[in-house]
């Protein structure tokens, strides 16, 4: 039954992916609309089914098959056959032959272009249908009988004349409105206002951003033509829809993260499309071949090639992770831009134990200047902000002197200096500026350096492997150091005295007014009192979900759902619900657990656990408040979300915040979390949840979403 369901889903996706979507409603609308020309509808659906069967037979399994990537070109081929040719016995023979050929071509081209991070678009259809047309027009008889219609005149000649097509509806609508709908229908080789209206409804349901780009590109194309008079009789509605409008949607909202810059890029695609259409039409007319959607392919692939050459992406971002929804691409990107620092940086801890004060931060006013400005100095202070106990005349009087200095991350010791004498208080050794120093290599191009260490206190040697938190030495007062302190910096070369590198610490507590605030992937500023976050072992153990972990969750109705943890080809961990097919990706970096994305059924227990344990810090400090944000597409106010979608690339007026804390109980720990929808200054609580942990294991969770309560218990796990 599941295989049948998956096969039907692949068929629907083959239609929806024509408009860069996986929306079932849009896919079903496109399937039904394709039957406005019954022959095209039957031929298109038959080709999709045949293509999927061929892929299954040859074991071309995977996401591309499920998403319709291998079969949408076959759909275009079938629709085009029905639009171009009359049905006879040879029609069926050549349709089957061409369908198999276009399927093979799709697999080959998509896999080769994917290596360069480029899409195949409709290239397989164009190439194979050119072969079909050339064969039908050759001196050898294929038996295909070509039709004569206004659509074919549009495709071949590029004129805008559509007289006699749906005359009554055309008269009732303004000319440009009718042209807009006909242009949309032309993507399916139709010339129907009604079909265009239905497709518009499907597109609006699928994406407000994509629909807005359809309108913007249509207006831009018409305005450009009115200025340039490139097409005196009007733009061909086929080229307007299949090339100009679709190109704008693709480059403005699918291949790039929607933004002001992506919209400008979409507008730029219109004049590029104009000149490409004109140039190719003249060239291909020599061979009596229409250009179909080749301009669309050339403009998009060309722009993507150009964007992929950039060394610095700036604010125009490519959609590297594709959710087949411009809104979700945008909201997920914005949400993960700050949250996925674990994938951008190696985790650096503070190089000491306990609370220390930043006595000089980046670009400080004492010694951290110019190329050596990205460094930090640390000292220990008392409640009166003194760095020493009376009388403060000897290094031993200073709180940080002789305190342990730790490795900030795993690495190999690159350089060591340990012979420099510690200075008397107030004196400095400018000749041996850095004093006793250790340099550790963490990655190629990433080294850490600690300086002003105590003489002969260094515990490591060059070439030695160290782990994060290992003892390196004691804090001293050597080198350019008038009083004991610890100097720390990151650099790209192994040499003592190298220029500094700006690089954040993975996480630390910032103590303000007696309360701990967690800073994640940040650089501490002057005067801050900071420490590494202590890890609560039972809490850490409970969320140590490694590949192979399995669990059975039972809700209050005694219905069970089975979970298992897997690792994908990119090394990312995720929980998969075998019962519902839902998946929730997460990161556990040793000091916290947090979810990064969710796919699937939002009624599943996995989705509710995703909300309840969205972010967990492995620390049980009562004053620690965990703050985070969820992607906007998870809001429960769909009407409000639609309004936000329309202007999301330019302005966002709403947010979803997450707040959590850990409560220690006699018989375990509870993670309490709440979620709020924030609009302007108005804040509305939508979710409240708790996760119960005992003896280092997840025991149960409960969650209330807009008044609907759910409870679930772990019945088995390993």
């Amino acid at each position: 039954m599941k295989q049948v369901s998956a096969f039907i889903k692949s068929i629907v996706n083959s239609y929806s992916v024509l408009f860069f979507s996986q929306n079932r409603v849009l896919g079903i609308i496109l399937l039904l609309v394709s039957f406005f020309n019954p022959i095209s509808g039957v031929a298109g659906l038959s080709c999709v089914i045949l293509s999927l069967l061929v892929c299954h037979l040859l074991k071309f399994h995977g996401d591309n098959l499920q998403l319709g990537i291998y079969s949408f070109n076959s759909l275009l081929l079938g629709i085009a056959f029905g639009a171009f040719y009359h049905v006879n016995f040879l029609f069926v023979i050549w349709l089957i032959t061409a369908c198999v050929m276009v399927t093979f071509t799709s697999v080959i081209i998509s896999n080769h272009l994917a290596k360069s991070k480029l899409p195949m678009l409709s290239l397989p259809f164009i190439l194979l249908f050119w072969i079909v047309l050339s064969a039908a027009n050759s001196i050898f008889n294929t038996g295909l009988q070509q039709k004569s219609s206004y659509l074919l005149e549009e495709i071949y000649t590029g004129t805008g004349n559509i007289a006699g097509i749906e005359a009554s509806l055309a008269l009732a609508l303004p000319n440009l409105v009718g042209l807009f709908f006909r242009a949309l229908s032309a993507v399916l080789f139709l010339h129907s206002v009604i079909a265009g209206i239905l497709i518009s409804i499907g597109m609006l349901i699928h994406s407000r951003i994509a629909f807005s780009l359809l309108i913007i590109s249509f207006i831009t194309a018409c305005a450009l033509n009115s200025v340039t008079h490139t097409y005196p009789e009007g733009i061909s509605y086929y080229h307007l829809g299949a090339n100009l409008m679709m190109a704008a949607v693709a480059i403005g909202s699918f291949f790039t993260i929607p933004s002001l810059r992506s919209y400008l890029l979409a507008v730029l695609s219109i004049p590029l499309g104009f000149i490409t259409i004109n140039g190719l039409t003249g060239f291909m007319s020599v061979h009596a071949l229409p250009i179909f959607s080749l301009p669309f392919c050339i403009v998009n692939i060309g722009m993507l090639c150009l964007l992929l050459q950039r060394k610095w992406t700036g604010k125009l971002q490519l959609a590297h992770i594709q959710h087949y929804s411009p809104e979700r691409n945008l909201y997920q990107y914005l949400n993960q831009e700050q949250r996925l620092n674990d994938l951008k940086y190696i985790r650096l801890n503070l190089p000491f134990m306990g609370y220390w004060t930043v006595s000089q931060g980046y670009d400080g006013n004492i010694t951290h200047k110019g190329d050596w400005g990205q460094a930090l100095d640390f000292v220990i202070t008392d409640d009166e902000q003194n760095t020493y106990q009376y009388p403060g005349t000897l290094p031993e009087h200073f709180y940080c002197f002789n305190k342990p200095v730790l490795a900030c991350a795993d690495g190999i010791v690159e350089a060591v200096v340990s012979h420099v004498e510690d200075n008397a208080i107030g004196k400095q050794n400018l000749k041996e500026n850095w004093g006793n120093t250790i340099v550790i290599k963490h990655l190629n191009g990433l080294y850490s350096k600690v300086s002003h260490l105590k003489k002969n206190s260094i515990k490591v040697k060059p070439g030695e492997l160290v782990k994060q938190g290992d003892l390196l030495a004691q804090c001293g007062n050597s080198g350019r150091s008038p009083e004991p302190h610890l100097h720390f910096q990151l650099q790209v070369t192994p040499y003592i005295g190298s220029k500094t590198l700006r690089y954040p610490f993975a996480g630390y507590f910032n103590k303000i007014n007696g309360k701990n605030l967690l800073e994640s992937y940040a650089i501490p500023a002057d005067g801050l009192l900071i420490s590494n976050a202590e890890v609560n072992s039972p809490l850490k153990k409970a969320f140590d979900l490694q590949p192979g972990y399995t669990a059975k969750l039972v809700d209050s109705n005694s219905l069970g759902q089975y979970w298992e943890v897997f690792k994908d080809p990119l090394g990312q961990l995720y929980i998969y619900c075998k019962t519902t097919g839902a998946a929730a990706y997460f990161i556990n970096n040793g000091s916290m657990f947090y979810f990064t994305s969710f796919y699937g059924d939002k009624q599943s227990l996995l989705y509710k656990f995703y909300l309840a344990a969205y972010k967990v810090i492995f620390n049980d400090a009562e004053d620690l408040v965990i703050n985070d944000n969820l992607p906007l597409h998870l809001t429960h106010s769909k009407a409000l979300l639609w309004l936000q979608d329309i202007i999301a690339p330019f302005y966002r007026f709403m947010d979803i915040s997450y707040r959590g804390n850990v409560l220690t109980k006699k018989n375990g720990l509870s993670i309490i979390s709440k979620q709020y929808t924030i609009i302007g200054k108005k804040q509305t609580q939508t979710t409240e949840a708790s996760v119960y942990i005992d003896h280092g294991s997840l025991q149960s969770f409960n969650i209330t979403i807009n008044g609907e309560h759910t409870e679930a218990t772990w019945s088995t796990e390993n």
Side-chain angles (χ1 to χ4, degrees):
M1 191 65 184
K2 286 185 177 180
Q3 289 182 338
V4 173
S5 177
F7 192 78
I8 293 173
K9 185 177 180 180
S10 297
I11 292 173
V12 175
N13 287 343
S14 301
Y15 285 81
S16 59
V17 81
L18 289 177
F19 284 81
F20 308 100
S21 169
Q22 293 290 285
N23 185 280
R24 283 178 292 179
V25 175
L26 176 59
I28 292 170
I29 288 175
L30 293 172
L31 192 157
L32 295 175
V33 164
S34 70
F35 279 85
F36 275 39
N37 180 337
I39 297 174
S40 288
V42 172
L45 180 58
S46 300
C47 282
V48 169
I49 294 172
L50 177 60
S51 181
L52 292 174
L53 290 175
V54 168
C55 288
H56 276 289
L57 183 64
L58 296 178
K59 309 300 182 184
F60 295 139
H61 298 300
D63 289 341
N64 281 349
L65 187 61
Q66 183 71 35
L67 297 172
I69 303 300
Y70 289 156
S71 49
F72 79 88
N73 274 281
S74 299
L75 168 62
L76 289 174
L77 179 81
I79 293 174
F81 253 83
F84 274 71
Y85 297 111
H86 292 285
V87 177
N88 56 26
F89 176 73
L90 291 175
F91 174 97
V92 176
I93 296 297
W94 298 125
L95 177 63
I96 293 173
T97 304
C99 180
V100 174
M101 291 174 65
V102 83
T103 302
F104 292 164
T105 306
S106 295
V107 173
I108 294 169
I109 293 179
S110 65
N111 288 326
H112 275 77
L113 288 180
K115 296 176 183 177
S116 302
K117 300 180 180 180
L118 296 171
M120 66 173 173
L121 302 177
S122 53
L123 288 175
F125 155 70
I126 296 168
L127 294 174
L128 264 297
F129 205 63
W130 275 350
I131 293 174
V132 171
L133 289 171
S134 298
N137 296 331
S138 71
I139 59 174
F140 304 103
N141 182 21
T142 61
L144 291 173
Q145 301 173 7
Q146 188 163 322
K147 295 179 180 178
S148 176
S149 71
Y150 288 108
L151 174 65
L152 300 188
E153 290 180 16
E154 281 281 296
I155 295 173
Y156 274 105
T157 65
T159 62
N161 181 16
I162 54 166
I165 307 298
E166 296 182 291
S168 59
L169 190 55
L171 290 173
L173 292 173
N175 182 54
L176 287 178
V177 175
L179 179 61
F180 175 84
F181 292 133
R182 285 190 296 271
L184 270 184
S185 74
V187 178
L188 297 181
F189 293 94
L190 296 169
H191 43 83
S192 166
V193 172
I194 297 174
I197 292 173
L198 292 174
I199 294 172
S200 296
I201 293 171
M203 282 295 290
L204 191 58
I205 293 171
H206 157 59
S207 170
R208 278 57 62 197
I209 291 175
F211 187 76
S212 71
L213 279 168
L214 286 175
I215 296 174
I216 290 171
S217 59
F218 175 80
I219 294 172
T220 302
C222 292
L224 182 62
N225 190 52
S226 67
V227 172
T228 62
H229 302 291
T230 304
Y231 307 103
E233 297 181 10
I235 307 173
S236 158
Y237 67 86
Y238 174 81
H239 292 318
L240 184 56
N243 285 307
L244 301 176
M245 292 165 64
M246 291 304 295
V249 169
I251 200 64
S253 67
F254 183 76
F255 295 119
T256 60
I257 301 298
S259 65
L260 175 61
R261 286 168 176 79
S262 78
Y263 272 57
L264 293 175
L265 193 64
V267 171
L268 175 62
S269 72
I270 302 301
L272 295 178
F274 265 56
I275 196 167
T276 307
I277 290 169
N278 285 349
L280 289 175
T281 299
F283 177 78
M284 296 306 298
S285 62
V286 176
H287 305 283
L289 293 175
I291 60 174
F292 293 121
S293 54
L294 186 59
F296 155 76
C297 296
I298 291 175
V299 169
N300 270 274
I301 293 176
M303 283 187 166
L304 287 173
C305 283
L306 187 64
L307 293 175
L308 287 169
Q309 301 305 311
R310 298 175 300 168
K311 293 183 178 179
W312 181 67
T313 57
K315 294 184 178 180
L316 180 60
Q317 294 285 337
L318 292 174
H320 295 293
I321 299 176
Q322 190 53 254
H323 298 96
Y324 289 87
S325 164
E327 284 79 8
R328 179 157 185 176
N329 283 350
L330 173 60
Y331 297 147
Q332 200 80 5
Y333 167 78
L334 293 172
N335 180 253
Q336 294 181 350
E337 190 176 19
Q338 296 299 323
R339 298 186 74 242
L340 293 189
N341 285 315
D342 279 295
L343 305 181
K344 301 177 186 176
Y345 304 102
I346 70 165
R347 290 187 55 78
L348 299 184
N349 283 351
L350 297 172
F352 47 73
M353 295 186 291
Y355 283 91
W356 291 52
T357 298
V358 181
S359 59
Q360 185 181 192
Y362 279 16
D363 301 314
N365 55 10
I366 305 174
T367 56
H368 299 172
K369 297 180 180 298
D371 290 335
W372 292 267
Q374 317 301 303
L376 297 164
D377 287 341
F378 299 104
V379 296
I380 298 178
T381 57
D382 57 25
D383 292 340
E384 285 74 40
Q385 305 305 309
N386 293 319
T387 58
Y388 58 89
Q389 57 187 353
Y390 187 80
T393 55
L394 297 173
E396 292 81 358
H397 296 160
F398 286 75
Y399 300 121
C400 68
F401 186 78
N402 213 36
K403 292 296 186 293
V405 176
L406 311 178
C408 65
D410 298 352
I412 298 174
V413 178
E414 189 75 25
V416 169
V417 173
S418 61
H419 66 276
V420 182
E421 296 289 341
D422 289 292
N423 302 320
I425 300 303
K427 302 295 184 180
Q428 298 185 63
N429 181 351
L430 301 182
K431 182 178 179 181
E432 297 169 298
N433 186 67
W434 299 107
N436 299 311
T437 294
I438 300 172
V439 177
I440 299 175
K441 177 182 179 180
H442 304 291
L443 293 172
N444 287 330
L446 182 65
Y447 300 80
S448 66
K449 179 168 80 75
V450 286
S451 296
H452 311 310
L453 305 173
K454 182 182 177 183
K455 181 183 178 181
N456 295 328
S457 71
I458 293 176
K459 311 297 184 184
V460 294
K461 299 177 292 185
E464 186 175 339
L465 177 67
V466 295
K467 304 294 287 183
Q468 188 175 68
D470 282 356
L471 176 65
L472 300 178
Q474 273 80 44
C475 181
N477 195 39
S478 57
R480 188 176 181 179
S481 178
E483 67 173 62
H485 73 283
L486 176 63
H487 175 93
F488 176 87
Q489 70 181 53
L490 276 298
Q491 54 195 52
V492 297
T493 60
Y495 310 112
I496 296 175
S498 295
K499 297 177 182 179
T500 55
L501 172 70
R502 185 180 187 88
Y503 206 90
F505 289 105
Y508 56 87
F509 278 163
N510 175 12
K511 199 163 193 175
I512 300 177
N513 298 325
K515 293 186 177 181
N516 285 314
L517 298 177
L518 181 69
E519 303 288 352
S520 182
Y521 287 95
I523 297 168
D526 272 339
L528 292 185
L529 181 61
I530 60 177
S531 77
N532 286 311
E534 294 184 6
V535 173
N536 178 285
S537 296
L539 196 54
K540 179 180 179 180
K541 182 182 177 183
F543 284 91
D544 186 22
L545 308 180
Q546 296 297 323
Y549 170 93
T550 59
K552 179 184 177 183
L553 276 289
V554 180
D555 64 16
S556 54
N557 297 319
S558 299
L559 297 176
Q561 294 186 8
Y562 295 87
W563 297 357
E564 186 170 352
V565 174
F566 295 93
K567 182 182 287 189
D568 71 8
L570 297 178
Q572 301 305 302
L573 295 171
Y574 64 97
I575 304 172
Y576 176 71
C577 178
K578 297 180 178 179
T579 311
T580 64
Y585 280 77
F586 67 88
I587 288 176
N588 185 332
N589 60 26
S591 62
M592 72 175 74
F593 170 98
Y594 59 98
F595 283 108
T596 58
S597 56
F598 176 86
Y599 305 92
D601 184 4
K602 291 187 178 180
Q603 296 302 315
S604 67
L605 292 178
L606 181 56
Y607 177 68
K608 294 172 183 179
F609 181 66
Y610 164 85
L611 296 179
Y614 187 65
K615 185 175 183 179
V616 179
I617 307 297
F618 302 150
N619 185 280
D620 58 357
E622 293 184 1
D623 59 352
L624 176 61
V625 178
I626 305 166
N627 292 299
D628 209 333
N629 293 93
L630 284 88
L632 277 179
H633 65 269
L634 296 181
T635 183
H636 304 288
S637 177
K638 297 304 179 184
L640 198 61
L641 182 61
W642 271 42
L643 179 60
Q644 175 64 91
D645 291 345
I646 296 171
I647 59 174
F650 319 108
Y651 176 74
R652 286 163 291 280
F653 62 80
M654 63 184 298
D655 205 351
I656 308 175
S657 69
Y658 170 93
R659 296 173 197 169
N661 63 289
V662 178
L663 296 181
T664 303
K665 297 184 177 182
K666 291 182 179 179
N667 55 350
L669 298 167
S670 285
I671 302 164
I672 308 299
S673 64
K674 296 179 181 180
Q675 293 171 24
Y676 302 85
T677 297
I678 302 172
I679 302 172
K681 295 182 179 180
K682 185 179 179 182
Q683 178 175 280
T684 304
Q685 183 178 330
T686 57
T687 302
E688 185 170 4
S690 63
V691 180
Y692 176 60
I693 295 167
D694 189 25
H695 293 92
S697 296
L698 293 163
Q699 300 294 324
S700 64
F701 77 91
N702 63 77
I703 186 169
T704 302
I705 304 173
N706 287 336
E708 181 181 338
H709 188 71
T710 302
E711 294 184 11
T713 304
W714 271 256
S715 71
T716 59
E717 66 175 313
N718 66 330

